[in-house]
Amino acid sequence: MLVMATSFMDFVQAQLVQFFQYTAFGNCEIGHLIMILIGCVFIYLGIKKEYEPLLLVPIGFGMIVGNIPFYPGLKIGIYETGSVLNILYHGVQNGWYPPLIFMGIGAMTDFSALLSNPKLMLIGAAAQCGIFAAYFVALLVGFNPAEAGAIGIIGGADGPTAIFISSQLAPELMGAIAVSAYSYMALVPVIQPPIMRALTTKKERLIRMKPPRQVTKTEKCIFPIMAFILCCFIVPSGLPLLGMLCFGNLLKESGVTKRLANAASGPIVDICTILIGLTVGCSTQATSFLSAKSIGIFAIGAFSFVIATTCGVLFVKLMNLFLKEGNKINPLIGNSGVSAVPDAARVSYTVGLEYDKSNHLLMHAMGPNVAGVIGSAVAAGVLLAFLK
């Protein structure tokens, strides 16, 4: 009896040990706890501060999901072949989600402000300097050209573009690049205003711009077609993003495909945003995410964002040297040349109201803001053409 009791106790003990090995407690490391805490911070910023909640809440929760420790081989992790998360992650790894999101962005975007004042497109182009500045900095600190190109795109402040480029050029850095890009997009209201105030004078902040002219339906329909043809003849590698962006906009402006436009700007973009946010968050597992490279990516991303904002504002000041009085551009809209639509334009509007309560810059800022979307997609195409 004693032998049987001893054997039974050994069996129970072995089962308890095995059970513990399969729990998160048995596989937990300090890195997992750090990433779970970061995920909670993202959720807090999204809910409490309302910093890009549609992005930060899914990414934050995904970080928590991706950093629950587990015993290898259970086919539940995002990097385990055949798991549900791994299958959903294919949309990020293979670049399926970003073009669909671009189609939705196109269906939600009104290019009227840009068409009424085409020179605002130059501001969107100038803001892309942040991408190439970050590219050269990344090269200088030791990243290879493909990795540097993927990191540089953070300066465009466009999460889907950053994911698409990193999936093509540096898939091993995708998690850090995507989280960095979305983080800085969410922090647009925090990062940009001090730069805008530092680079402008009080007189410049009070500049009033002429009201945008009325744009015809014909112009709105022709623009996405011609913009797509022109851009993709120059940079064919930008076709997946630019094609879907312009297609979505044509659905909206044609007036005869309202159901398709509503689907693109509603359910499709919402589903893709959920999937891309959740799976990108899950991909930030502590074992692969917490590294010196990730820290470097965040630092370079911040630098590129500052350069993009600075170049946008300074380029407006340069343009004003050649514009007659009455046609000058308020340099506070220079920040909106980055692709964070419409948050960057809202920042222009908010900062402008601080100095003149009746000077509404939102419609003017939307011009370079939507130009920034096109500019970041073109820049992405350029990087792919040279680096892939």
Side-chain angles (χ1 to χ4, degrees):
M1 289 292 293
L2 181 62
V3 174
M4 290 180 62
T6 302
S7 299
F8 178 74
M9 292 301 296
D10 289 342
F11 172 76
V12 171
Q13 184 179 4
Q15 291 297 304
L16 289 174
V17 169
Q18 183 176 348
F19 173 76
F20 181 76
Q21 289 175 343
Y22 275 83
T23 66
F25 295 104
N27 296 276
C28 189
E29 299 177 4
I30 186 65
H32 294 120
L33 299 179
I34 292 173
M35 290 307 302
I36 288 173
L37 179 61
I38 293 173
C40 291
V41 171
F42 270 54
I43 294 173
Y44 169 80
L45 293 174
I47 296 175
K48 185 68 176 179
K49 299 296 184 180
E50 296 189 13
Y51 291 161
E52 289 284 355
L54 299 180
L55 300 173
L56 291 193
V57 172
I59 291 176
F61 195 80
M63 286 181 171
I64 297 174
V65 173
N67 283 280
I68 299 296
F70 58 88
Y71 191 82
L74 297 179
K75 286 194 175 183
I76 58 174
I78 195 166
Y79 294 116
E80 292 188 307
T81 303
S83 71
V84 174
L85 288 175
N86 180 260
I87 292 170
L88 294 176
Y89 193 50
H90 284 325
V92 175
Q93 290 177 310
N94 297 300
W96 301 337
Y97 299 146
L100 292 174
I101 290 178
F102 257 65
M103 181 175 66
I105 292 172
M108 292 186 283
T109 300
D110 186 353
F111 287 103
S112 296
L114 184 62
L115 292 172
S116 67
N117 193 356
K119 61 178 174 287
L120 297 179
M121 187 174 291
L122 298 175
I123 304 173
Q128 306 314 311
C129 290
I131 293 175
F132 298 100
Y135 169 70
F136 288 113
V137 170
L139 285 177
L140 289 174
V141 299
F143 288 97
N144 65 47
E147 292 173 338
I151 294 168
I153 206 68
I154 296 172
D158 192 321
T161 303
I163 290 172
F164 182 79
I165 290 297
S166 57
S167 71
Q168 304 294 312
L169 297 179
E172 70 281 1
L173 301 180
M174 188 189 306
I177 291 171
V179 171
S180 178
Y182 280 122
S183 298
Y184 294 126
M185 284 173 63
L187 293 174
V188 160
V190 177
I191 298 173
Q192 288 194 324
I195 301 172
M196 296 159 64
R197 296 188 189 102
L199 296 177
T200 57
T201 64
K202 185 176 181 180
K203 181 180 178 182
E204 288 174 327
R205 298 175 201 137
L206 296 175
I207 292 175
R208 285 181 172 271
M209 299 174 63
K210 290 182 178 179
R213 70 173 178 83
Q214 192 70 28
V215 178
T216 66
K217 179 181 176 180
T218 301
E219 289 176 285
K220 291 181 180 181
C221 289
I222 292 175
F223 177 75
I225 299 171
M226 294 306 299
F228 171 67
I229 293 173
L230 178 61
C231 291
C232 285
F233 261 74
I234 297 173
V235 189
S237 49
L239 190 149
L241 297 179
L242 285 168
M244 296 300 272
L245 176 73
C246 293
F247 174 59
N249 187 246
L250 182 61
L251 292 178
K252 171 182 178 291
E253 301 298 353
S254 68
V256 295
T257 53
K258 187 174 181 180
R259 285 173 53 192
L260 299 182
N262 289 340
S265 61
I268 292 176
V269 75
D270 289 341
I271 291 170
C272 289
T273 299
I274 291 172
L275 293 176
I276 206 170
L278 187 66
T279 53
V280 163
C282 289
S283 71
T284 61
Q285 289 185 355
T287 51
S288 58
F289 186 81
L290 290 177
S291 65
K293 275 192 172 184
S294 295
I295 296 172
I297 288 169
F298 270 82
I300 296 171
F303 168 77
S304 68
F305 203 83
V306 169
I307 294 297
T309 304
T310 300
C311 288
V313 174
L314 292 180
F315 187 76
V316 175
K317 292 165 70 78
L318 177 64
M319 289 177 67
N320 282 341
L321 297 176
F322 303 95
L323 296 175
K324 296 180 180 179
E325 202 66 41
N327 290 326
K328 293 187 181 295
I329 301 171
N330 191 314
L332 289 180
I333 73 170
N335 74 294
S336 61
V338 300
S339 181
V341 178
D343 287 338
R346 287 178 184 152
V347 170
S348 305
Y349 172 72
T350 303
V351 176
L353 289 181
E354 292 177 8
Y355 300 95
D356 184 349
K357 296 294 184 183
S358 61
N359 192 9
H360 302 286
L361 296 173
L362 184 60
M363 282 305 299
H364 300 292
M366 284 303 298
N369 206 185
V370 298
V373 177
I374 298 174
S376 66
V378 171
V382 170
L383 291 172
L384 281 177
F386 280 98
L387 301 175
K388 188 173 181 181

